[in-house]
């Protein structure tokens, strides 16, 4: 049994939704057999970031259909009906179990073959499991990961099952920090455990991390750093205690795990060239096979701003932009992108009353500015940041509590590679250095 499409988008996450909208904008409605999206998830593409923020609110949490793509970019809300109305076939709840790039076919878990002329791989990433680090307990009733709606529903259910209880958060990255804030909002006592010296180790400087750790501490969160949970004690299918490597025992009513992600490349290993944990693509998001594009978390692409070096990002802005670029390139429309993607890396997070953005690359010397000492009880909202300076130019910028104009200004400074003054002046002037009246 088989079906044939001109274009197939494999994966139904953020990148898939933005790719579909770009397709319709450039091409109009799809003709029968022209475009399908195959997704393991049971729902149409949605804005995944909502899962660790609005979805976890104690009251009035965000629920579908309100956060389908592409509302995260203040664009159209693409419900399932939208796909139907525009001739795009959504094949939901369907896992692709193998791919044959030479034959241009995909095999579904139900045994169907889907063939394509052009494939856009948008399989995203998966959460790493405790067992992959020698741990245990992933299957326990009260151990939560967070990657999809099912995970988020389980997390909400667990939070509601133990009001006032103890949560152990394993990992001090994006998931750990955002979920810890949500747990606090749900009146659960939080202990975060991670092996590094400070939270958000891949991005934050020790000074920036100290601000957020102090802020979280003032909200009642406990940090245990420089160690890991070596095992989880389980009774009747539920974790009761987390045991640390140093022997400490922490009582647990629930556990949230955020120990990193791995790109879903397995279907294409040995068929497409891989780099830096992802599928290697060129500036048109085209893989080593000219009929296959890769976008979003799974794609490793050249970043002009970083000297053309190949990079892979696990962030939503990248998923949106690479998806649009790949569709434009694949359709080869006269109004398509003039050339290769020119991406400015952009990450953000929102927790409690805080909100930060980062642009560029956190390489070089970090120069902090603003008041990093304020706490959650301070009368004015915190505002501070850092510039990263390399070879006399601003290569990265972080800002907490900025206005849209200020974020735009730091983004512009990074994109234009603004010449940096000496560190003392940059620290003193801070935002004023990039925000011109
Ligand atoms: P995404 O993971 O969105 O989608 C992949 C899709 O492929 C899924 O539908 C999956 O089921 C499907 N799939 C995979 N293998 C398949 C197979 N074999 N067969 C069929 N389907 C398959 N970023 C940011 O910048 N700011 C933020 O605030 C957040 N917040 C955030 C919260 C949470 C909880 C998570 C998990 C992630 C974030 N992110 C984020 C990261 C951001 O969501 C992420 O970078 C994008 O979702 C990536 O989009 P993709 O489409 O590449 O993958
Ligand atoms: P992460 O890489 O941000 O953080 C992983 C954390 O786990 C780090 O603190 C690390 O020190 C810790 N860790 C690693 N191994 C460990 C171990 N064995 N035991 C305990 N801790 C360990 O990954 P994440 O927080 O799991 O996020 C997963 C994905 O979701 C990423 O792709 C991330 O970009 C994405 N995400 C992004 C946002 C955002 O951009 N605002 C929000 C949520 C999720």
């Amino acid at each position: 049994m088989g079906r044939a499409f001109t274009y197939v988008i494999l994966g139904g996450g953020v990148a898939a939704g933005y790719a579909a909208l770009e397709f319709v904008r450039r091409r109009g409605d799809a003709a029968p057999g022209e475009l399908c999206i195959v997704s393991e998830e049971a729902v149409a593409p949605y804005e995944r970031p909502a899962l660790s923020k609005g979805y976890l609110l104690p009251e009035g949490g965000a629920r579908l259909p309100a956060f389908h793509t592409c509302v995260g970019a203040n664009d159209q809300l693409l419900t399932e009906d939208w796909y139907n109305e525009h001739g795009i076939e959504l094949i939901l709840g369907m896992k692709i179990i193998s791919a044959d790039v030479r034959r241009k076919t995909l095999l579904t878990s139900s045994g169907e073959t889907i063939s394509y002329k052009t494939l856009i791989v948008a399989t995203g990433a998966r959460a790493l499991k405790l067992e992959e680090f020698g741990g245990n307990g992933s299957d326990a009733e009260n151990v939560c990961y967070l990657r999809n709606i099912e995970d988020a529903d389980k997390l909400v259910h667990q939070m509601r099952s133990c009001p006032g209880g103890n949560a152990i958060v394993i990992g001090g990255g994006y998931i750990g920090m955002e979920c810890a804030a949500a747990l606090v909002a749900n009146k659960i006592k939080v202990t975060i455990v991670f092996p590094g010296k400070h939270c958000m180790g891949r991005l934050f400087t020790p000074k920036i991390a100290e601000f957020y750790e102090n802020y979280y501490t003032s909200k009642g969160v406990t940090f245990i750093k420089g160690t890991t949970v070596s095992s989880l004690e389980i009774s009747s299918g539920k974790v009761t205690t987390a045991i640390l490597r140093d022997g400490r025992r922490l009582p647990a009513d629930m556990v949230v795990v955020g120990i990193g992600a791995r790109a879903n490349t397995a279907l294409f290993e040995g068929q497409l060239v891989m780099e830096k944990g992802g599928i290697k693509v060129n500036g048109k998001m085209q893989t080593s096979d000219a009929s296959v594009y890769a976008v979003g978390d799974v794609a490793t692409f050249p970043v002009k701003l970083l000297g053309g070096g190949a990079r892979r990002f696990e962030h939503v802005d990248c998923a949106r932009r690479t998806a649009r670029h790949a569709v434009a390139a694949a359709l080869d429309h006269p109004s398509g992108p003039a050339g290769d993607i020119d991406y400015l890396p952009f990450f953000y997070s929102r927790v409690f009353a805080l909100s930060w953005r980062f642009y560029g690359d956190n390489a070089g010397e970090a120069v902090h500015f603003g008041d990093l000492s304020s706490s959650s009880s301070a009368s004015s909202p915190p505002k501070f940041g850092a510039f990263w300076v390399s070879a006399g130019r601003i290569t990265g910028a972080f800002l907490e509590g900025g206005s849209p104009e200020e974020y735009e200004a730091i983004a512009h400074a990074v994109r234009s590679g603004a010449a940096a003054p000496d560190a003392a002046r940059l620290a003193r002037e801070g935002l004023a250095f990039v925000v011109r009246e």
Side-chain angles (χ1 to χ4, degrees):
M1 218 177 36
R3 304 168 70 189
F5 290 88
T6 312
Y7 298 96
V8 172
I9 299 172
L10 168 49
V14 173
Y18 283 78
L21 184 58
E22 188 69 22
F23 183 97
V24 169
R25 290 215 166 123
R26 288 181 176 274
R27 186 76 146 221
D29 292 353
E34 197 175 10
L35 173 62
C36 80
I37 293 177
V38 193
S39 176
E40 197 176 353
E41 292 187 85
V43 294
Y46 57 89
E47 301 284 359
R48 204 164 299 282
L51 297 184
S52 54
K53 303 171 191 69
Y55 206 90
L56 304 182
L57 291 175
E59 276 163 31
R63 290 293 179 272
L64 290 175
F67 63 96
H68 280 298
T69 57
C70 299
V71 290
N74 295 320
D75 210 323
Q76 247 177 292
L77 177 78
L78 314 185
T79 58
E80 247 181 75
D81 287 347
W82 181 89
Y83 293 89
N84 293 333
E85 285 158 15
H86 291 84
I88 300 170
E89 192 149 344
L90 276 181
I91 305 176
L92 299 177
M94 186 64 74
K95 184 172 180 162
I96 295 298
I97 54 167
S98 69
D100 188 329
V101 167
R102 205 172 49 79
R103 291 200 162 89
K104 300 189 180 188
T105 56
L106 305 172
L107 181 64
T108 71
S109 48
S110 64
E112 191 182 29
T113 298
I114 296 177
S115 63
Y116 60 83
K117 288 201 170 111
T118 299
L119 176 67
I120 298 181
V121 182
T123 45
R126 67 176 178 82
L128 287 169
K129 294 279 168 115
L130 289 168
E131 285 72 7
E132 294 173 73
F133 294 92
N136 70 311
S138 288
D139 294 333
E141 218 178 288
N142 55 349
V143 171
C144 304
Y145 289 82
L146 188 55
R147 186 75 209 177
N148 55 34
I149 300 264
E150 274 172 47
D151 296 338
D153 285 338
K154 178 172 176 183
L155 182 47
V156 168
H157 176 75
Q158 287 305 319
M159 288 196 296
R160 291 189 180 153
S161 312
C162 64
N166 292 305
I168 306 300
V169 173
I170 307 180
Y174 288 95
I175 292 284
M177 295 300 280
E178 292 185 5
C179 287
L183 287 158
V184 170
N186 283 273
K187 304 209 175 341
I188 291 168
K189 296 192 217 66
V190 180
T191 302
I192 304 186
V193 186
F194 55 86
K197 288 200 177 102
H198 61 76
C199 69
M200 295 289 294
R202 285 192 296 149
L203 180 64
F204 288 1
T205 65
K207 246 174 128 165
I208 294 176
E210 191 183 356
F211 168 85
Y212 290 98
E213 289 179 12
N214 286 341
Y215 191 100
Y216 274 63
T217 304
S218 74
K219 299 279 186 189
V221 173
T222 303
F223 286 86
I224 300 182
K225 303 188 274 188
T227 189
T228 52
V229 171
S230 60
S231 65
L232 295 171
E233 222 164 68
I234 295 172
S235 169
S236 307
K238 288 179 89 167
V239 172
T240 55
T241 313
I243 302 168
L244 304 189
R245 206 172 19 182
D246 60 18
R248 266 182 286 178
R249 298 169 62 84
L250 309 174
D253 297 298
M254 64 181 288
V255 176
V256 178
V257 186
I259 55 174
R262 180 86 20 104
N264 290 319
T265 57
L267 291 170
F268 301 97
E269 300 283 351
Q271 301 191 70
L272 299 174
V273 174
M274 301 285 159
E275 191 174 3
K276 295 188 174 162
I279 300 173
K280 183 181 179 174
V281 296
N282 61 21
K284 296 187 166 44
M285 308 310 294
Q286 200 170 26
T287 70
S288 52
D289 181 295
S291 307
V292 182
Y293 293 74
V295 294
D297 282 8
V298 81
T300 304
F301 63 100
V303 181
K304 285 185 189 175
L305 202 74
L306 308 179
R311 295 288 279 267
R312 192 174 69 77
F313 301 102
E314 294 172 352
H315 293 281
V316 73
D317 177 69
C318 174
R320 293 170 181 157
R321 289 179 193 271
T322 55
R324 291 189 194 121
H325 196 85
V327 168
L331 294 179
D332 201 22
H333 195 277
S335 69
D340 292 344
I341 191 163
D342 187 5
Y343 183 61
L344 171 65
F346 164 42
F347 323 145
Y348 70 88
S349 183
R350 288 190 297 272
V351 287
F352 298 113
L354 303 174
S355 176
W356 60 257
R357 290 185 179 205
F358 170 84
Y359 295 93
D361 194 19
N362 61 337
E365 183 197 0
V367 179
H368 299 89
F369 61 84
D371 181 8
L372 281 99
S373 63
S374 57
S375 74
S376 63
S377 55
S379 52
S380 56
K383 184 180 279 191
F384 63 85
F387 293 113
W388 279 260
V389 178
S390 188
R393 308 242 156 227
I394 293 179
T395 53
F398 176 96
L399 179 60
E400 165 63 48
S403 66
E405 296 74 28
E406 289 164 341
Y407 286 129
E408 184 47 45
I410 62 164
H412 177 73
V414 175
R415 180 175 275 294
S416 63
D422 64 86
R425 187 179 145 208
L426 190 56
R428 197 172 55 248
E429 291 191 14
L431 263 184
F433 179 73
V434 294
V435 178
R436 305 273 174 239
E437 293 300 326

